[in-house]
Amino acid sequence: MSPIIDSLPPALAKIVQRFQRATEPKRRYEQLIWYAQKLKDFPETGKVPENKVPGCVSQVFITAALDDGKVVYEGDSDSQLTKGLVGLLIEGLNGLTPTQIVQLTPDFIQETGLNVSLTPSRANGFYNIFKTMQKKALECKLDLPS
């Protein structure tokens, strides 16, 4: 195990390890498609400007809500691979506290090997999706009664 994996929340660490076992780019893409297919249907009502991820070539939407102090995300994209990135992040971040999410760094993408498989615009999209999810987690936290 690498120090980065050891520092990740369990669900995210499991995802990183799953991608590390997929040594060929084709297998990594297949896994991304699998994550895309696992996503719940995203409500059309959520496809509004405030839920749109900025800086993505694809249309990407993310919502976040708090459930018992834990963040629950929903997301969608019009691109299967980008939708897979959304699904991967949702799987890895759902159920964490806003503080845990905000403290994460996106370095784990290097551990998955996806950074070498993704085009620069998709890698940038991944970063933008991750940052948007952190921002939404922070907004959830700010909505908490003090």
Side-chain angles (χ1 to χ4, degrees), residues 50 66 98 132 134-144:
E50 55 269 23
L66 270 188
T132 298
Q134 285 188 312
K135 183 174 164 266
K136 293 213 171 257
L138 198 56
E139 289 166 4
C140 284
K141 186 179 179 177
L142 297 175
D143 290 342
L144 283 174

Side-chain angles (χ1 to χ4, degrees), residues 42-143:
F42 190 79
E44 283 299 313
T45 54
K47 293 182 180 179
V48 293
E50 55 269 23
N51 293 334
K52 193 171 188 295
V53 175
C56 280
V57 177
S58 309
Q59 299 280 312
V60 183
F61 296 93
I62 300 285
T63 60
L66 270 188
D67 182 20
D68 203 20
K70 310 277 191 217
V71 180
V72 179
Y73 291 104
E74 286 186 353
D76 195 16
S77 174
D78 59 357
S79 151
Q80 272 306 102
L81 285 178
T82 307
K83 191 173 181 171
L85 293 172
V86 170
L88 177 159
L89 284 168
I90 288 176
E91 174 108 359
L93 302 180
N94 261 357
L96 297 176
T97 65
T99 304
Q100 288 172 306
I101 293 166
V102 172
Q103 289 173 346
L104 278 173
T105 58
D107 317 2
F108 63 87
I109 188 74
Q110 275 83 24
E111 298 291 314
T112 63
L114 278 168
N115 57 319
V116 293
S117 303
L118 296 174
T119 61
S121 69
R122 281 222 172 85
N124 189 41
F126 174 85
Y127 182 74
N128 290 331
I129 295 164
F130 180 74
K131 284 296 178 202
T132 298
M133 291 174 86
Q134 285 188 312
K135 183 174 164 266
K136 293 213 171 257
L138 198 56
E139 289 166 4
C140 284
K141 186 179 179 177
L142 297 175
D143 290 342

Side-chain angles (χ1 to χ4, degrees), residues 1-7 16 20 111:
M1 288 265 246
S2 81
I4 290 177
I5 293 178
D6 291 339
S7 70
V16 170
Q20 285 178 334
E111 298 291 314

Side-chain angles (χ1 to χ4, degrees), residues 17-61:
Q17 290 168 326
R18 192 175 288 148
F19 275 94
Q20 285 178 334
R21 286 193 297 272
T23 50
E24 304 156 36
K26 182 178 184 289
R27 288 281 310 127
R28 290 190 198 116
Y29 281 132
E30 287 167 356
Q31 276 191 294
L32 278 179
I33 300 299
W34 180 76
Y35 280 110
Q37 292 166 343
K38 281 184 68 175
L39 276 178
K40 292 192 308 203
D41 286 339
F42 190 79
E44 283 299 313
T45 54
K47 293 182 180 179
V48 293
E50 55 269 23
N51 293 334
K52 193 171 188 295
V53 175
C56 280
V57 177
S58 309
Q59 299 280 312
V60 183
F61 296 93

